[in-house]
Amino acid sequence: THEILCLEALENRKSVFCEKPLSLSLSGLKNITKEILASDTKLMLGYNRSHHKFVHKINQDCGDDQMIINITMNIHPIPNDHWTLDPEMGGGRLIGEADHFIDLAASLTLSQIEEVYISSLNTKNSSLRNSLNFVLNLNFKNGSIANITYSDNASNHSPREKVEVICSGKTFEIIDFKQMKILGSKNRIIKSSDKGHVNCFNNWIDWLENNKDFSSLSAINSSLASLAGLESLKTKSIIRLPSIQTLIDDG
């Protein structure tokens, strides 16, 4: 329903805040992109971690310098018949969940994703229901690289979310978005009590009222990358993302 409701709003020149995922198909993303480019409407997805103060701090310290990012997600197992794994309803954990961390990586690098490759434990059957334990590799326009590890097979004592960023002579280690260690010439620990939800909504309001510099197309890029990951899972090959112009011109 996300795609249908977004399109209906955009066609009526309404700006849209939408939860992830934006669409479960390339054709859906194409239609949404065309509507965004045809008007001055704005689109933001609920990627709250991308708006977290830890991300802002890393952006301040590193700018658009090349970086290496490692994101590890330890998730809870779910039954094979769970609705989120249905390709028509939930899109699977790659599109329905991991896109959150794809966008996080893009927000950290301040760059666009260009190439995607995925490796899965279930190589004999690359269906959505088996895309639960995988490593997703992202290559960015500015030369940065990111690895996103998704697993439901880790110890319950492991952090649920662990993010490591290496850049500009520093190492940043985020644990469950509760604390961030900054290792450099001076070591620091910063703590947090949220996961960026408040900043996300404040930035959305600021964008609407004051034209703060955000881009609707960043959400499209992250969504394209999650769909490319699914294609890579099926073909076992590196998938290069289409440019926005190619996306809307194709077909």
Side-chain angles (χ1 to χ4, degrees), residues 50 62 64 97 101 108 163 231:
S50 298
C62 298
D64 60 355
E97 292 183 21
F101 300 94
L108 287 166
V163 181
E231 182 66 20

Side-chain angles (χ1 to χ4, degrees), residues 11 17 25 45 57 73 85 105-107 110 135 159-160 175 177 179 194 198 202 214 223 237 242:
E11 286 168 355
F17 184 100
S25 70
L45 295 190
K57 172 61 177 170
M73 282 296 300
L85 301 183
S107 297
L110 298 175
V135 177
R160 178 174 170 79
I175 302 296
F177 281 87
Q179 73 168 34
D194 69 7
V198 173
N202 283 341
F214 287 101
S223 300
S237 61

Side-chain angles (χ1 to χ4, degrees), residues 11-172:
E11 286 168 355
N12 285 279
R13 299 300 183 257
K14 302 292 184 182
S15 291
V16 177
F17 184 100
C18 180
E19 270 305 327
K20 60 179 180 58
L22 180 58
S23 174
L24 302 183
S25 70
L26 189 61
S27 61
L29 286 182
K30 183 188 303 183
N31 292 333
I32 290 170
T33 303
K34 286 181 177 179
E35 286 299 327
I36 291 171
L37 295 177
S39 69
D40 59 354
T41 52
K42 298 175 174 67
L43 170 70
M44 181 180 280
L45 295 190
Y47 294 135
N48 50 283
R49 288 164 184 78
S50 298
H51 298 265
H52 197 278
K53 68 178 184 180
F54 292 166
V55 176
H56 180 63
K57 172 61 177 170
I58 295 172
N59 289 158
Q60 282 184 319
D61 285 11
C62 298
D64 60 355
D65 289 353
Q66 290 183 344
M67 58 179 60
I68 296 174
I69 301 171
N70 293 300
I71 300 174
T72 302
M73 282 296 300
N74 294 314
I75 57 178
H76 298 300
I78 55 177
N80 279 343
D81 60 354
H82 196 275
W83 72 269
T84 58
L85 301 183
D86 188 303
E88 301 298 326
M89 294 184 66
R93 282 187 136 156
L94 175 57
I95 295 177
E97 292 183 21
D99 64 327
H100 209 138
F101 300 94
I102 291 172
D103 190 80
L104 171 61
S107 297
L108 287 166
T109 64
L110 298 175
S111 184
Q112 289 186 341
I113 303 163
E114 289 194 328
E115 292 181 336
V116 174
Y117 179 73
I118 191 170
S119 302
S120 171
L121 287 183
N122 301 279
T123 54
K124 292 183 179 179
N125 185 346
S126 58
S127 71
L128 271 176
R129 283 174 165 70
N130 288 323
S131 60
L132 302 180
N133 292 274
F134 58 81
V135 177
L136 183 67
N137 307 120
L138 306 175
N139 291 328
F140 292 84
K141 187 175 182 178
N142 73 348
S144 296
I145 54 177
N147 294 315
I148 300 174
T149 300
Y150 229 76
S151 176
D152 64 359
N153 199 31
S155 165
N156 290 331
H157 300 289
S158 300
R160 178 174 170 79
E161 302 174 16
K162 184 177 179 180
V163 181
E164 179 187 52
V165 178
I166 302 169
C167 70
S168 305
K170 295 181 179 180
T171 300
F172 302 83

